[in-house]
Amino acid sequence: MGMKKRFGKGMMTVALGAALIGGGTYAYFSDTETTNNTFAAGTLDLTLSPTEIINVDNIAPGDSFIRDFELGNGGSLDIDKVLLETDYIVNDAKGDNTEDMAEHIQVEFLYNVSNLDEVIFETTLADLKDMTPEAVNQHIFYPEIGDKGLPVGETHDLIVKFNFLDNGEDQNQFQGDSLKLTWTFNATQKPGEQR
Protein backbone atom coordinates (compact mmCIF):
# COMPACT_ATOMS: atom_id res chain seq x y z
CA MET A 1 0.00 0.00 0.00
CA GLY A 2 1.39 3.39 -0.93
CA MET A 3 2.12 6.18 1.47
CA LYS A 4 -0.69 8.32 0.13
CA LYS A 5 -3.22 5.55 0.56
CA ARG A 6 -2.07 4.85 4.13
CA PHE A 7 -2.18 8.52 4.96
CA GLY A 8 -5.69 8.87 3.42
CA LYS A 9 -6.96 5.85 5.39
CA GLY A 10 -5.48 7.24 8.56
CA MET A 11 -7.20 10.57 8.04
CA MET A 12 -10.50 8.84 7.39
CA THR A 13 -10.10 6.81 10.59
CA VAL A 14 -9.36 9.98 12.58
CA ALA A 15 -12.37 11.76 11.03
CA LEU A 16 -14.66 8.80 11.79
CA GLY A 17 -13.44 8.61 15.39
CA ALA A 18 -13.96 12.36 15.85
CA ALA A 19 -17.47 12.12 14.44
CA LEU A 20 -18.35 9.27 16.81
CA ILE A 21 -16.93 11.11 19.81
CA GLY A 22 -18.60 14.40 18.82
CA GLY A 23 -21.91 12.67 18.07
CA GLY A 24 -21.85 10.96 21.42
CA THR A 25 -21.28 14.27 23.17
CA TYR A 26 -24.49 15.79 21.73
CA ALA A 27 -26.84 12.80 22.05
CA TYR A 28 -30.06 13.43 24.08
CA PHE A 29 -33.71 12.38 24.31
CA SER A 30 -36.31 14.53 22.59
CA ASP A 31 -40.04 14.66 22.06
CA THR A 32 -42.19 16.90 19.86
CA GLU A 33 -45.85 17.92 20.09
CA THR A 34 -47.76 20.05 17.56
CA THR A 35 -50.88 22.14 18.21
CA ASN A 36 -53.53 22.71 15.60
CA ASN A 37 -55.29 26.08 16.02
CA THR A 38 -58.14 27.77 14.21
CA PHE A 39 -59.54 31.28 14.18
CA ALA A 40 -62.99 31.26 12.58
CA ALA A 41 -64.74 34.60 12.27
CA GLY A 42 -68.43 34.83 13.06
CA THR A 43 -70.98 36.46 10.80
CA LEU A 44 -73.35 39.39 11.10
CA ASP A 45 -76.43 38.84 8.98
CA LEU A 46 -79.25 41.33 9.40
CA THR A 47 -82.30 40.10 7.54
CA LEU A 48 -85.22 42.22 6.36
CA SER A 49 -88.57 40.90 5.26
CA PRO A 50 -90.08 42.11 3.04
CA THR A 51 -87.36 44.05 1.27
CA GLU A 52 -89.89 46.38 -0.35
CA ILE A 53 -91.74 48.09 2.47
CA ILE A 54 -94.00 50.44 0.48
CA ASN A 55 -94.94 50.86 -3.15
CA VAL A 56 -98.11 52.89 -3.72
CA ASP A 57 -99.56 54.90 -6.61
CA ASN A 58 -102.08 57.71 -6.88
CA ILE A 59 -101.58 59.09 -3.39
CA ALA A 60 -103.23 62.33 -2.33
CA PRO A 61 -102.84 64.65 0.66
CA GLY A 62 -104.54 63.04 3.67
CA ASP A 63 -103.75 59.43 2.63
CA SER A 64 -102.11 57.07 5.14
CA PHE A 65 -100.44 53.69 4.68
CA ILE A 66 -99.45 51.24 7.42
CA ARG A 67 -96.71 48.73 6.65
CA ASP A 68 -94.97 46.20 8.83
CA PHE A 69 -91.66 44.50 8.32
CA GLU A 70 -89.38 42.19 10.23
CA LEU A 71 -85.74 42.60 11.16
CA GLY A 72 -83.94 39.37 12.02
CA ASN A 73 -80.51 38.11 12.96
CA GLY A 74 -79.53 35.26 10.66
CA GLY A 75 -75.84 35.37 11.55
CA SER A 76 -73.74 33.68 14.23
CA LEU A 77 -72.98 36.85 16.25
CA ASP A 78 -75.37 38.95 18.31
CA ILE A 79 -76.25 42.33 16.78
CA ASP A 80 -75.67 45.28 19.09
CA LYS A 81 -77.37 48.09 17.17
CA VAL A 82 -79.38 48.58 14.03
CA LEU A 83 -78.73 51.89 12.30
CA LEU A 84 -81.02 53.35 9.65
CA GLU A 85 -79.93 55.68 6.87
CA THR A 86 -82.59 57.43 4.81
CA ASP A 87 -82.23 58.70 1.28
CA TYR A 88 -84.77 59.69 -1.32
CA ILE A 89 -85.11 61.19 -4.78
CA VAL A 90 -88.08 63.32 -5.76
CA ASN A 91 -89.17 63.27 -9.38
CA ASP A 92 -90.70 66.72 -10.00
CA ALA A 93 -92.92 65.82 -12.98
CA LYS A 94 -93.76 69.41 -14.01
CA GLY A 95 -90.60 71.09 -12.72
CA ASP A 96 -92.64 73.50 -10.58
CA ASN A 97 -91.80 72.41 -7.02
CA THR A 98 -90.94 75.17 -4.56
CA GLU A 99 -90.94 72.73 -1.65
CA ASP A 100 -89.50 69.28 -0.96
CA MET A 101 -92.22 66.63 -1.26
CA ALA A 102 -90.47 64.66 1.54
CA GLU A 103 -91.38 67.47 3.96
CA HIS A 104 -95.01 66.49 3.38
CA ILE A 105 -94.53 62.76 3.98
CA GLN A 106 -94.75 62.00 7.69
CA VAL A 107 -93.36 58.74 9.06
CA GLU A 108 -94.67 57.27 12.32
CA PHE A 109 -92.78 54.35 13.82
CA LEU A 110 -95.25 52.30 15.83
CA TYR A 111 -94.81 49.85 18.67
CA ASN A 112 -97.37 47.08 18.59
CA VAL A 113 -98.54 45.73 21.95
CA SER A 114 -101.64 43.51 21.97
CA ASN A 115 -102.91 45.14 18.76
CA LEU A 116 -102.68 48.63 20.27
CA ASP A 117 -100.45 50.75 18.08
CA GLU A 118 -98.48 53.35 20.00
CA VAL A 119 -96.35 55.94 18.18
CA ILE A 120 -92.77 55.73 19.45
CA PHE A 121 -91.37 58.31 17.06
CA GLU A 122 -92.65 60.52 14.25
CA THR A 123 -90.93 62.79 11.81
CA THR A 124 -90.96 63.68 8.12
CA LEU A 125 -88.87 61.89 5.52
CA ALA A 126 -86.90 65.12 5.00
CA ASP A 127 -86.01 65.36 8.70
CA LEU A 128 -85.27 61.64 8.90
CA LYS A 129 -82.76 61.99 6.07
CA ASP A 130 -80.94 64.72 8.02
CA MET A 131 -80.72 62.68 11.22
CA THR A 132 -77.59 60.71 12.09
CA PRO A 133 -77.98 56.92 12.12
CA GLU A 134 -77.18 56.93 15.88
CA ALA A 135 -80.03 59.37 16.57
CA VAL A 136 -82.41 57.23 14.52
CA ASN A 137 -81.31 54.17 16.52
CA GLN A 138 -82.10 55.94 19.79
CA HIS A 139 -85.58 56.99 18.68
CA ILE A 140 -86.71 54.04 16.60
CA PHE A 141 -84.88 50.85 17.47
CA TYR A 142 -83.90 51.42 21.09
CA PRO A 143 -87.45 51.01 22.48
CA GLU A 144 -87.84 47.76 20.53
CA ILE A 145 -84.36 46.22 20.58
CA GLY A 146 -83.10 47.95 23.75
CA ASP A 147 -79.95 47.01 25.64
CA LYS A 148 -79.97 43.37 24.60
CA GLY A 149 -79.58 44.11 20.91
CA LEU A 150 -80.78 41.50 18.43
CA PRO A 151 -79.57 38.05 19.53
CA VAL A 152 -78.80 35.28 17.05
CA GLY A 153 -81.96 33.72 15.65
CA GLU A 154 -84.35 36.41 16.94
CA THR A 155 -86.61 38.70 14.93
CA HIS A 156 -88.42 41.94 15.74
CA ASP A 157 -91.50 43.30 14.00
CA LEU A 158 -91.58 46.99 13.20
CA ILE A 159 -94.65 48.87 12.05
CA VAL A 160 -94.46 52.11 10.07
CA LYS A 161 -97.25 54.48 9.12
CA PHE A 162 -96.68 56.86 6.20
CA ASN A 163 -98.93 59.94 6.03
CA PHE A 164 -99.15 62.30 3.07
CA LEU A 165 -99.85 65.37 5.17
CA ASP A 166 -102.73 67.61 4.15
CA ASN A 167 -101.53 71.02 5.31
CA GLY A 168 -104.78 72.75 4.31
CA GLU A 169 -102.95 74.79 1.68
CA ASP A 170 -102.40 74.50 -2.05
CA GLN A 171 -100.28 71.38 -2.66
CA ASN A 172 -100.89 71.22 -6.42
CA GLN A 173 -97.16 71.40 -7.11
CA PHE A 174 -96.92 67.72 -6.10
CA GLN A 175 -99.48 66.42 -8.63
CA GLY A 176 -97.86 63.73 -10.78
CA ASP A 177 -94.64 63.76 -8.69
CA SER A 178 -93.08 60.68 -7.19
CA LEU A 179 -90.66 60.03 -4.37
CA LYS A 180 -88.29 57.06 -4.37
CA LEU A 181 -87.33 56.17 -0.79
CA THR A 182 -84.25 54.12 0.12
CA TRP A 183 -83.77 52.85 3.65
CA THR A 184 -80.42 51.22 4.42
CA PHE A 185 -80.29 49.18 7.62
CA ASN A 186 -76.81 48.62 9.06
CA ALA A 187 -76.09 46.18 11.88
CA THR A 188 -73.17 46.53 14.26
CA GLN A 189 -71.69 43.78 16.41
CA LYS A 190 -71.54 43.77 20.17
CA PRO A 191 -68.12 44.75 21.61
CA GLY A 192 -65.51 41.98 21.55
CA GLU A 193 -64.98 39.92 24.67
CA GLN A 194 -62.13 38.07 26.27
CA ARG A 195 -62.65 34.31 26.21
Side-chain angles (χ1 to χ4, degrees), residues 2 5 10 13 16 19 33 42 56 58 68 83 90 94 114 120 126 141 143 147 156 159 166 189 193:
K5 281 189 179 183
T13 305
L16 181 60
E33 296 292 337
V56 292
N58 297 317
D68 64 288
L83 306 173
V90 175
K94 295 179 290 209
S114 303
I120 57 174
F141 299 112
D147 288 333
H156 286 286
I159 301 170
D166 183 350
Q189 74 172 55
E193 56 187 52

PDB file of all heavy atoms in Angstrom, residues 2 5 10 13 16 19 33 42 56 58 68 83 90 94 114 120 126 141 143 147 156 159 166 189 193:
ATOM      1  N   GLY A   2       0.554   2.206  -0.818  1.00  0.00           N
ATOM      2  CA  GLY A   2       1.391   3.389  -0.933  1.00  0.00           C
ATOM      3  C   GLY A   2       1.179   4.327   0.241  1.00  0.00           C
ATOM      4  O   GLY A   2       0.246   4.234   1.026  1.00  0.00           O
ATOM      5  N   LYS A   5      -2.041   6.302   0.191  1.00  0.00           N
ATOM      6  CA  LYS A   5      -3.218   5.545   0.557  1.00  0.00           C
ATOM      7  C   LYS A   5      -3.279   5.365   2.061  1.00  0.00           C
ATOM      8  O   LYS A   5      -4.328   5.469   2.674  1.00  0.00           O
ATOM      9  CB  LYS A   5      -3.215   4.179  -0.126  1.00  0.00           C
ATOM     10  CG  LYS A   5      -3.658   4.268  -1.571  1.00  0.00           C
ATOM     11  CD  LYS A   5      -3.837   2.887  -2.118  1.00  0.00           C
ATOM     12  CE  LYS A   5      -4.290   2.974  -3.547  1.00  0.00           C
ATOM     13  NZ  LYS A   5      -4.543   1.706  -4.128  1.00  0.00           N
ATOM     14  N   GLY A  10      -5.680   6.759   7.191  1.00  0.00           N
ATOM     15  CA  GLY A  10      -5.477   7.244   8.561  1.00  0.00           C
ATOM     16  C   GLY A  10      -6.332   8.467   8.831  1.00  0.00           C
ATOM     17  O   GLY A  10      -6.927   8.617   9.905  1.00  0.00           O
ATOM     18  N   THR A  13      -9.887   7.423   9.290  1.00  0.00           N
ATOM     19  CA  THR A  13     -10.096   6.812  10.592  1.00  0.00           C
ATOM     20  C   THR A  13     -10.195   7.875  11.670  1.00  0.00           C
ATOM     21  O   THR A  13     -11.063   7.810  12.553  1.00  0.00           O
ATOM     22  CB  THR A  13      -8.947   5.844  10.918  1.00  0.00           C
ATOM     23  OG1 THR A  13      -8.831   4.883   9.863  1.00  0.00           O
ATOM     24  CG2 THR A  13      -9.165   5.117  12.222  1.00  0.00           C
ATOM     25  N   LEU A  16     -13.586   9.644  11.304  1.00  0.00           N
ATOM     26  CA  LEU A  16     -14.663   8.803  11.787  1.00  0.00           C
ATOM     27  C   LEU A  16     -14.692   8.764  13.308  1.00  0.00           C
ATOM     28  O   LEU A  16     -15.749   8.884  13.933  1.00  0.00           O
ATOM     29  CB  LEU A  16     -14.525   7.386  11.202  1.00  0.00           C
ATOM     30  CG  LEU A  16     -15.600   6.390  11.605  1.00  0.00           C
ATOM     31  CD1 LEU A  16     -16.983   6.857  11.176  1.00  0.00           C
ATOM     32  CD2 LEU A  16     -15.320   5.015  11.016  1.00  0.00           C
ATOM     33  N   ALA A  19     -16.023  12.026  14.638  1.00  0.00           N
ATOM     34  CA  ALA A  19     -17.471  12.120  14.436  1.00  0.00           C
ATOM     35  C   ALA A  19     -18.209  11.310  15.498  1.00  0.00           C
ATOM     36  O   ALA A  19     -19.222  11.745  16.042  1.00  0.00           O
ATOM     37  CB  ALA A  19     -17.840  11.635  13.040  1.00  0.00           C
ATOM     38  N   GLU A  33     -44.395  17.858  20.175  1.00  0.00           N
ATOM     39  CA  GLU A  33     -45.852  17.918  20.092  1.00  0.00           C
ATOM     40  C   GLU A  33     -46.232  19.095  19.208  1.00  0.00           C
ATOM     41  O   GLU A  33     -45.566  20.125  19.237  1.00  0.00           O
ATOM     42  CB  GLU A  33     -46.490  18.102  21.474  1.00  0.00           C
ATOM     43  CG  GLU A  33     -46.277  16.951  22.433  1.00  0.00           C
ATOM     44  CD  GLU A  33     -46.988  15.688  22.029  1.00  0.00           C
ATOM     45  OE1 GLU A  33     -47.981  15.783  21.271  1.00  0.00           O
ATOM     46  OE2 GLU A  33     -46.543  14.605  22.438  1.00  0.00           O
ATOM     47  N   GLY A  42     -66.983  34.938  13.089  1.00  0.00           N
ATOM     48  CA  GLY A  42     -68.434  34.825  13.061  1.00  0.00           C
ATOM     49  C   GLY A  42     -69.013  35.697  11.962  1.00  0.00           C
ATOM     50  O   GLY A  42     -68.289  36.397  11.247  1.00  0.00           O
ATOM     51  N   VAL A  56     -96.719  52.473  -3.486  1.00  0.00           N
ATOM     52  CA  VAL A  56     -98.109  52.892  -3.722  1.00  0.00           C
ATOM     53  C   VAL A  56     -98.165  53.925  -4.837  1.00  0.00           C
ATOM     54  O   VAL A  56     -97.230  54.686  -5.065  1.00  0.00           O
ATOM     55  CB  VAL A  56     -98.757  53.466  -2.441  1.00  0.00           C
ATOM     56  CG1 VAL A  56     -98.953  52.372  -1.402  1.00  0.00           C
ATOM     57  CG2 VAL A  56     -97.948  54.605  -1.862  1.00  0.00           C
ATOM     58  N   ASN A  58    -100.890  56.851  -6.972  1.00  0.00           N
ATOM     59  CA  ASN A  58    -102.076  57.705  -6.884  1.00  0.00           C
ATOM     60  C   ASN A  58    -102.386  58.182  -5.462  1.00  0.00           C
ATOM     61  O   ASN A  58    -103.542  58.178  -5.038  1.00  0.00           O
ATOM     62  CB  ASN A  58    -103.303  56.994  -7.481  1.00  0.00           C
ATOM     63  CG  ASN A  58    -103.114  56.720  -8.953  1.00  0.00           C
ATOM     64  OD1 ASN A  58    -102.628  57.577  -9.692  1.00  0.00           O
ATOM     65  ND2 ASN A  58    -103.472  55.526  -9.377  1.00  0.00           N
ATOM     66  N   ASP A  68     -95.805  46.827   7.806  1.00  0.00           N
ATOM     67  CA  ASP A  68     -94.966  46.200   8.828  1.00  0.00           C
ATOM     68  C   ASP A  68     -93.884  45.379   8.145  1.00  0.00           C
ATOM     69  O   ASP A  68     -94.050  44.896   7.024  1.00  0.00           O
ATOM     70  CB  ASP A  68     -95.809  45.340   9.785  1.00  0.00           C
ATOM     71  CG  ASP A  68     -96.477  44.176   9.101  1.00  0.00           C
ATOM     72  OD1 ASP A  68     -97.447  44.405   8.337  1.00  0.00           O
ATOM     73  OD2 ASP A  68     -96.044  43.036   9.321  1.00  0.00           O
ATOM     74  N   LEU A  83     -78.763  50.483  12.696  1.00  0.00           N
ATOM     75  CA  LEU A  83     -78.728  51.890  12.301  1.00  0.00           C
ATOM     76  C   LEU A  83     -79.468  52.040  10.975  1.00  0.00           C
ATOM     77  O   LEU A  83     -79.354  51.193  10.090  1.00  0.00           O
ATOM     78  CB  LEU A  83     -77.279  52.368  12.165  1.00  0.00           C
ATOM     79  CG  LEU A  83     -76.389  52.125  13.397  1.00  0.00           C
ATOM     80  CD1 LEU A  83     -74.949  52.486  13.090  1.00  0.00           C
ATOM     81  CD2 LEU A  83     -76.892  52.918  14.584  1.00  0.00           C
ATOM     82  N   VAL A  90     -86.763  62.846  -5.338  1.00  0.00           N
ATOM     83  CA  VAL A  90     -88.080  63.322  -5.755  1.00  0.00           C
ATOM     84  C   VAL A  90     -88.044  63.572  -7.254  1.00  0.00           C
ATOM     85  O   VAL A  90     -87.155  64.260  -7.760  1.00  0.00           O
ATOM     86  CB  VAL A  90     -88.472  64.620  -5.006  1.00  0.00           C
ATOM     87  CG1 VAL A  90     -89.788  65.176  -5.550  1.00  0.00           C
ATOM     88  CG2 VAL A  90     -88.576  64.363  -3.497  1.00  0.00           C
ATOM     89  N   LYS A  94     -93.525  68.185 -13.224  1.00  0.00           N
ATOM     90  CA  LYS A  94     -93.759  69.406 -14.006  1.00  0.00           C
ATOM     91  C   LYS A  94     -92.658  70.448 -13.813  1.00  0.00           C
ATOM     92  O   LYS A  94     -92.698  71.502 -14.438  1.00  0.00           O
ATOM     93  CB  LYS A  94     -95.116  70.020 -13.612  1.00  0.00           C
ATOM     94  CG  LYS A  94     -96.305  69.124 -13.975  1.00  0.00           C
ATOM     95  CD  LYS A  94     -97.616  69.739 -13.555  1.00  0.00           C
ATOM     96  CE  LYS A  94     -97.653  69.681 -12.070  1.00  0.00           C
ATOM     97  NZ  LYS A  94     -98.832  69.594 -11.345  1.00  0.00           N
ATOM     98  N   SER A 114    -100.264  44.027  21.906  1.00  0.00           N
ATOM     99  CA  SER A 114    -101.636  43.509  21.965  1.00  0.00           C
ATOM    100  C   SER A 114    -102.581  44.259  21.020  1.00  0.00           C
ATOM    101  O   SER A 114    -103.678  44.662  21.404  1.00  0.00           O
ATOM    102  CB  SER A 114    -102.166  43.576  23.403  1.00  0.00           C
ATOM    103  OG  SER A 114    -101.327  42.874  24.271  1.00  0.00           O
ATOM    104  N   ILE A 120     -93.995  55.555  18.662  1.00  0.00           N
ATOM    105  CA  ILE A 120     -92.774  55.730  19.450  1.00  0.00           C
ATOM    106  C   ILE A 120     -91.919  56.867  18.911  1.00  0.00           C
ATOM    107  O   ILE A 120     -91.115  57.429  19.632  1.00  0.00           O
ATOM    108  CB  ILE A 120     -91.948  54.424  19.538  1.00  0.00           C
ATOM    109  CG1 ILE A 120     -91.594  53.887  18.157  1.00  0.00           C
ATOM    110  CG2 ILE A 120     -92.672  53.386  20.362  1.00  0.00           C
ATOM    111  CD1 ILE A 120     -90.664  52.695  18.174  1.00  0.00           C
ATOM    112  N   ALA A 126     -87.974  64.131   5.157  1.00  0.00           N
ATOM    113  CA  ALA A 126     -86.901  65.120   4.998  1.00  0.00           C
ATOM    114  C   ALA A 126     -86.070  65.219   6.275  1.00  0.00           C
ATOM    115  O   ALA A 126     -84.830  65.239   6.227  1.00  0.00           O
ATOM    116  CB  ALA A 126     -87.482  66.483   4.631  1.00  0.00           C
ATOM    117  N   PHE A 141     -85.180  52.232  17.145  1.00  0.00           N
ATOM    118  CA  PHE A 141     -84.877  50.847  17.471  1.00  0.00           C
ATOM    119  C   PHE A 141     -84.650  50.607  18.954  1.00  0.00           C
ATOM    120  O   PHE A 141     -84.859  49.515  19.449  1.00  0.00           O
ATOM    121  CB  PHE A 141     -83.660  50.362  16.683  1.00  0.00           C
ATOM    122  CG  PHE A 141     -83.896  50.409  15.207  1.00  0.00           C
ATOM    123  CD1 PHE A 141     -83.206  51.298  14.402  1.00  0.00           C
ATOM    124  CD2 PHE A 141     -84.833  49.588  14.619  1.00  0.00           C
ATOM    125  CE1 PHE A 141     -83.447  51.361  13.047  1.00  0.00           C
ATOM    126  CE2 PHE A 141     -85.079  49.642  13.253  1.00  0.00           C
ATOM    127  CZ  PHE A 141     -84.382  50.526  12.468  1.00  0.00           C
ATOM    128  N   PRO A 143     -86.310  51.519  21.710  1.00  0.00           N
ATOM    129  CA  PRO A 143     -87.454  51.008  22.478  1.00  0.00           C
ATOM    130  C   PRO A 143     -87.774  49.547  22.163  1.00  0.00           C
ATOM    131  O   PRO A 143     -88.257  48.815  23.006  1.00  0.00           O
ATOM    132  CB  PRO A 143     -88.607  51.920  22.055  1.00  0.00           C
ATOM    133  CG  PRO A 143     -87.952  53.150  21.542  1.00  0.00           C
ATOM    134  CD  PRO A 143     -86.661  52.698  20.929  1.00  0.00           C
ATOM    135  N   ASP A 147     -81.325  47.327  25.250  1.00  0.00           N
ATOM    136  CA  ASP A 147     -79.955  47.011  25.644  1.00  0.00           C
ATOM    137  C   ASP A 147     -79.477  45.652  25.158  1.00  0.00           C
ATOM    138  O   ASP A 147     -78.293  45.438  25.002  1.00  0.00           O
ATOM    139  CB  ASP A 147     -79.824  47.059  27.170  1.00  0.00           C
ATOM    140  CG  ASP A 147     -79.879  48.478  27.703  1.00  0.00           C
ATOM    141  OD1 ASP A 147     -79.505  49.400  26.959  1.00  0.00           O
ATOM    142  OD2 ASP A 147     -80.299  48.657  28.858  1.00  0.00           O
ATOM    143  N   HIS A 156     -87.583  40.905  15.157  1.00  0.00           N
ATOM    144  CA  HIS A 156     -88.419  41.944  15.742  1.00  0.00           C
ATOM    145  C   HIS A 156     -89.282  42.548  14.640  1.00  0.00           C
ATOM    146  O   HIS A 156     -88.792  42.881  13.569  1.00  0.00           O
ATOM    147  CB  HIS A 156     -87.569  43.042  16.389  1.00  0.00           C
ATOM    148  CG  HIS A 156     -86.950  42.621  17.676  1.00  0.00           C
ATOM    149  ND1 HIS A 156     -87.652  42.496  18.839  1.00  0.00           N
ATOM    150  CD2 HIS A 156     -85.676  42.288  17.975  1.00  0.00           C
ATOM    151  CE1 HIS A 156     -86.844  42.107  19.802  1.00  0.00           C
ATOM    152  NE2 HIS A 156     -85.645  41.965  19.303  1.00  0.00           N
ATOM    153  N   ILE A 159     -93.489  48.383  12.790  1.00  0.00           N
ATOM    154  CA  ILE A 159     -94.652  48.872  12.051  1.00  0.00           C
ATOM    155  C   ILE A 159     -94.435  50.349  11.764  1.00  0.00           C
ATOM    156  O   ILE A 159     -94.056  51.111  12.659  1.00  0.00           O
ATOM    157  CB  ILE A 159     -95.944  48.659  12.856  1.00  0.00           C
ATOM    158  CG1 ILE A 159     -96.116  47.168  13.160  1.00  0.00           C
ATOM    159  CG2 ILE A 159     -97.145  49.186  12.101  1.00  0.00           C
ATOM    160  CD1 ILE A 159     -97.216  46.871  14.133  1.00  0.00           C
ATOM    161  N   ASP A 166    -101.880  66.580   4.755  1.00  0.00           N
ATOM    162  CA  ASP A 166    -102.735  67.609   4.150  1.00  0.00           C
ATOM    163  C   ASP A 166    -102.567  68.853   5.011  1.00  0.00           C
ATOM    164  O   ASP A 166    -103.080  68.926   6.129  1.00  0.00           O
ATOM    165  CB  ASP A 166    -104.185  67.141   4.150  1.00  0.00           C
ATOM    166  CG  ASP A 166    -105.112  68.142   3.464  1.00  0.00           C
ATOM    167  OD1 ASP A 166    -104.668  69.268   3.155  1.00  0.00           O
ATOM    168  OD2 ASP A 166    -106.294  67.778   3.264  1.00  0.00           O
ATOM    169  N   GLN A 189     -71.886  44.880  15.457  1.00  0.00           N
ATOM    170  CA  GLN A 189     -71.694  43.777  16.406  1.00  0.00           C
ATOM    171  C   GLN A 189     -71.579  44.313  17.827  1.00  0.00           C
ATOM    172  O   GLN A 189     -71.312  45.482  18.037  1.00  0.00           O
ATOM    173  CB  GLN A 189     -70.430  43.002  16.070  1.00  0.00           C
ATOM    174  CG  GLN A 189     -69.149  43.757  16.441  1.00  0.00           C
ATOM    175  CD  GLN A 189     -67.909  42.934  16.290  1.00  0.00           C
ATOM    176  OE1 GLN A 189     -67.662  42.409  15.221  1.00  0.00           O
ATOM    177  NE2 GLN A 189     -67.137  42.824  17.349  1.00  0.00           N
ATOM    178  N   GLU A 193     -65.132  40.357  23.287  1.00  0.00           N
ATOM    179  CA  GLU A 193     -64.983  39.915  24.671  1.00  0.00           C
ATOM    180  C   GLU A 193     -63.780  39.007  24.803  1.00  0.00           C
ATOM    181  O   GLU A 193     -63.329  38.401  23.832  1.00  0.00           O
ATOM    182  CB  GLU A 193     -66.250  39.176  25.131  1.00  0.00           C
ATOM    183  CG  GLU A 193     -66.623  38.002  24.265  1.00  0.00           C
ATOM    184  CD  GLU A 193     -67.954  37.386  24.637  1.00  0.00           C
ATOM    185  OE1 GLU A 193     -68.947  38.150  24.733  1.00  0.00           O
ATOM    186  OE2 GLU A 193     -68.011  36.161  24.849  1.00  0.00           O
TER     187      GLU A 193
END
